Amino acid sequence: MRALLSVSDKTGLIPLAKGLADRGWELVSTGGTAKALSGAGLDVIGISEVTGFPEMMDGRVKTLHPKVHGGILARRHRADDLASMEAHGIRTIDLVVVNLYPFAKAAANPDLPFETLVEEIDIGGPSLVRAAAKNFHDVLVLVEPSDYDRVLQGLDAPGGPPLSLRFDLARRAIAHTAAYDRTIATTLARVTVDDASGAFSRSSEAGGMPAHWSPELTKIRDLRYGENPHQPAAWYRERDSGFGGAIVHQGKELSFTNLLDLDAAARIVREFSEPAAVVIKHTNPCGAASGGSVAEAYVRARDADALSAFGGIVGLNRPIDLDTARALTSTFIEAVIAPGVEDRDEVRAALAVKANLRVVTASFDDEGGCDARTILGAWLVQAPDRVTEATGEWPGADGPRVVSRRQPSADEWTALRFAWRVCAHVKSNTVIFTGPDATLAVGAGQMSRVDAVKAAVMKGAERLRGSVVASDAFFPFRDGIDAIAAAGATAVVQPGGSVKDAEVIAAADEHGLAMVMTGRRHFRH
């Protein structure tokens, strides 16, 4: 039996090769892989000995040869294939171990010259993988080090590796090359060429969306159902960050809507550098707050609308400590997302009091992808929306401009910045009322902006006196400002940009409101 090994990722290579050698397999290899194997004391046949040709053109050509591909593709049950092999001195290759040039790693370096990037496009590797996968009845193909042990175990099974294992490896191999080609296609879609100079340039700007976008998705698990019981659903990952690398520590099975709400919660709290918490219902915050500790922030967020918070989804931007765990389990919530859980028995015990509470941890710093949604027969893809204009203190050189006669007070500036970071993640149309570190009332998802004000006033009532207001988009008429003033708010932040901005600003001045404009809208549909 003969195995061909040619890998860029050499994780687990030597134990695999030793396992094959111990079972009487002959090892054929190329370039750096051959050096690694011989350096480990293993007998290796160089690919040039098989083909009769040297590796050439800086390694561009080494395995593209009939004595390699004939040995892989020959159907062992076909007499004519076997006769062709004998006539041309071709030996079978029964196991192919290949992973591809690290193109994605190279593409992630924006300073890498285009000519160097092109050299990271593997040619022989995908050909070997696809050939072995096509002939899976006779050839085992390995592209993932995580599969090495189970193949060695399969070789020891009576009758050898079962057909189900062979076919599973083939499917994984085809997915591997497909993902590789998608990465190349997506990267090259961002490259422009100047015919006059012959220069190639790579763009990573969000404004230049690629001509082709093909994410690779791997199923994490099936879900009980989708938004409704009659809809099958599953959870997939594109990367190992964010929810692609989430850990579920305890609780009932997560639902489709749980995950949507957990994502909404994570998006809000990651806007804050200070300890922050949010309680989500139906992807909207019923309460959000910051505090001196994450436990304090959570209690403030919960109490901002305690009635709506019952059965909600919680997001925290700090690991769950003992105080927070006790606060979380003091009332009924469905799930909590945080960047971690303190590794202490008492914290785990405090959370375990509510056995059905889903506790999920994930990284919040994922910036590697796009926001995407499906519509009938098509996809919509956009760059993620972050409230970058509020990362610095307000007032500041990069902050909003004051358009009213009255300047906001120091306390109002603090509250306006808080409100703006939360407002950006509420369903449009939205108007929210807040204090300096907690929401007071949220008017979300209304068909008109004045109705959003009215919905929030209905929730907040007298608590809104002395509050500030944030609106995710401009006020088209002064009626929204009139309603805000009547509720007792004292300052407003909004993007501006309406043809009636002058009328809206005049209304603010008439009511003595301070108004600032950010120049940046944050719709969330």
Side-chain angles (χ1 to χ4, degrees), residues 292-316:
S293 67
V294 72
E296 179 186 8
Y298 166 65
V299 172
R300 286 180 177 174
R302 180 194 66 196
D303 293 348
D305 186 350
L307 180 64
S308 298
F310 184 83
I313 302 291
V314 173
L316 310 169

Side-chain angles (χ1 to χ4, degrees), residues 73 77 83 107 132 162 178 267 290 319 331 354 444 492-493 504 514 516:
L73 286 166
H77 67 285
R267 288 173 184 267
S290 59
T331 56
K354 294 290 182 72
V492 185
V493 56
V504 170
V516 299

